[in-house]
Amino acid sequence: MSTASDLPAPRRKSVAVDVGGVTVGGDAPVVVQSMTNTDTADITKTVLQVAALARAGSELVRITVDRDEAAKAVPHIREKLDAMGCDVPLVGDFHYIGHTLLGENPACAEALAKFRINPGNVGFKDKKDRQFSAIIDLALKYQKPVRIGVNWGSLDQALLTRLMDENANSPEPKDARAVMHDAMVVSGLESAARAEELGLGAQHIIISAKVSAIQDLVAVYSALARRCDYALHLGLTEAGMGSKGIVASSAAMGILLQQGIGDTIRFSLTPEPGGDRTLEVQTAQELLQTMGLRSFVPVVAACPGCGRTTSTVFQELARDVQDMIRERMPEWKSRYPGVETLNLAVMGCIVNGPGESKHADVGISLPGTGETPAAPVFIDGQKAMTLRGPNIAQDFKGILEDYIEQRFGRA
């Protein structure tokens, strides 16, 4: 049984922001978002990828708006998504010339649910405030929230130089890395303060401060959380490919989420060539679910296997059940409210199999090496039946379908 110390700290109280009907911050659950890697000017490819990300569970999808062709494509992308019944809000990612693209393409500004701007490259020297102010004015005109997205790969060099000089003249100077952390925080907060001076309320501002190292991310966001109540977007930038990117992102964001910091998250994973972009959505959901912050799909507990489980039957069944859940979840979610809280167990031998299966809503303990070729099935903590023969996997999946109908169909 979970104790108070097992659970995440209470969520940091932040200002709620409405992003196209999705609430970020306040009392809302942590929102999962993702980003396309298509050329936004390619309307068909972008629509298909946005729709795939939304089907996977992305609640916000960011698209690159880097040139006039991309800006002109945005309203058509929105129109086609709406025609498909995909109402996921679109976030426009702007760098360098966002003020021009939004000003010259009002249909693009209308179609987007949020603008993301980077204070490190919104403009330089005397142009910076003018171009930043132009985007904020457009956000006010179209009543859109803004994410002020600081990134240490494109940090405002004038700000960093100023803070470095101040630090050098301090009686107790910090090391360079600590000054970099300060610069990330100051960049976000000063930009947000300027946006408020221009009339954009805190209820329309989200801040992110992305770095690519775990301890740096924890330090920067911990400082941000202490110094403001803006909604915060979490993400480890340039996290990497494969297991490295997943582990690094999970470790960094898990620490912060455990402290109650973070209102929306993204896993910035480098996909394999031709890889599935929706992996970043799935991993974000799994992080939130394993931490007990949200429920998205039924959880399957499965043992890792050992010398007692030389057969691959339980591994194949665990995989089949996971695949079944992913495939059936869109229908289950609409037909069976609450099905995402279901707990399942697929175990490989008698050592922990029956006990783990009793803790699950539905569990099966498959025979290990040398055990009787029988698979007891437990439902709601009680042994319900024993499966035998070549069709155990199919029979067990049928039991799951029946259980879901009986338990959640009444809802």
Side-chain angles (χ1 to χ4, degrees), residues 86-167:
C86 179
D87 60 357
V88 65
L90 296 176
V91 178
D93 194 63
F94 294 97
H95 296 275
Y96 304 110
I97 58 170
H99 59 294
T100 300
L101 294 174
L102 286 168
E104 294 179 353
N105 294 278
C108 171
E110 287 279 11
L112 294 170
K114 184 178 71 174
F115 307 155
R116 187 267 182 166
I117 56 177
N118 183 339
N121 59 33
V122 73
F124 304 101
K125 297 184 179 180
D126 60 321
K127 293 181 179 179
K128 180 178 179 180
D129 187 64
R130 184 168 68 252
Q131 293 177 180
F132 179 84
S133 298
I135 294 180
I136 299 302
D137 287 343
L138 288 161
L140 288 165
K141 177 180 179 180
Y142 294 102
Q143 298 183 324
K144 306 292 183 179
V146 166
R147 170 154 76 94
I148 295 171
V150 184
N151 190 303
W152 76 346
S154 50
L155 189 58
D156 182 340
Q157 291 303 300
L159 170 64
L160 181 58
T161 299
R162 186 188 92 202
L163 294 182
M164 286 288 189
D165 289 344
E166 291 174 359
N167 182 64

Side-chain angles (χ1 to χ4, degrees), residues 5 24 150 173 208 258 271-272 283 297 306 328 342 345 367 386 391 406:
S5 61
V24 175
V150 184
S208 67
Q258 184 69 21
E272 298 284 347
T283 50
V297 297
C306 66
R328 302 281 285 125
L342 186 67
T386 299
N391 297 316
Q406 292 171 14

Side-chain angles (χ1 to χ4, degrees), residues 187 270 280 289 346:
S187 179
T270 304
E280 67 177 49
Q289 184 146 345
V346 178

Side-chain angles (χ1 to χ4, degrees), residues 184-207:
M184 296 285 294
V185 173
V186 171
S187 179
L189 295 181
E190 286 188 353
S191 297
R194 179 58 180 148
E196 289 207 60
E197 287 175 6
L198 294 166
L200 194 69
Q203 74 277 15
H204 292 110
I205 297 173
I206 297 172
I207 293 181

Side-chain angles (χ1 to χ4, degrees), residues 268-285:
S268 299
L269 303 178
T270 304
E272 298 284 347
D276 187 353
R277 190 69 168 179
T278 62
L279 178 63
E280 67 177 49
V281 179
Q282 181 182 334
T283 50
Q285 289 180 329

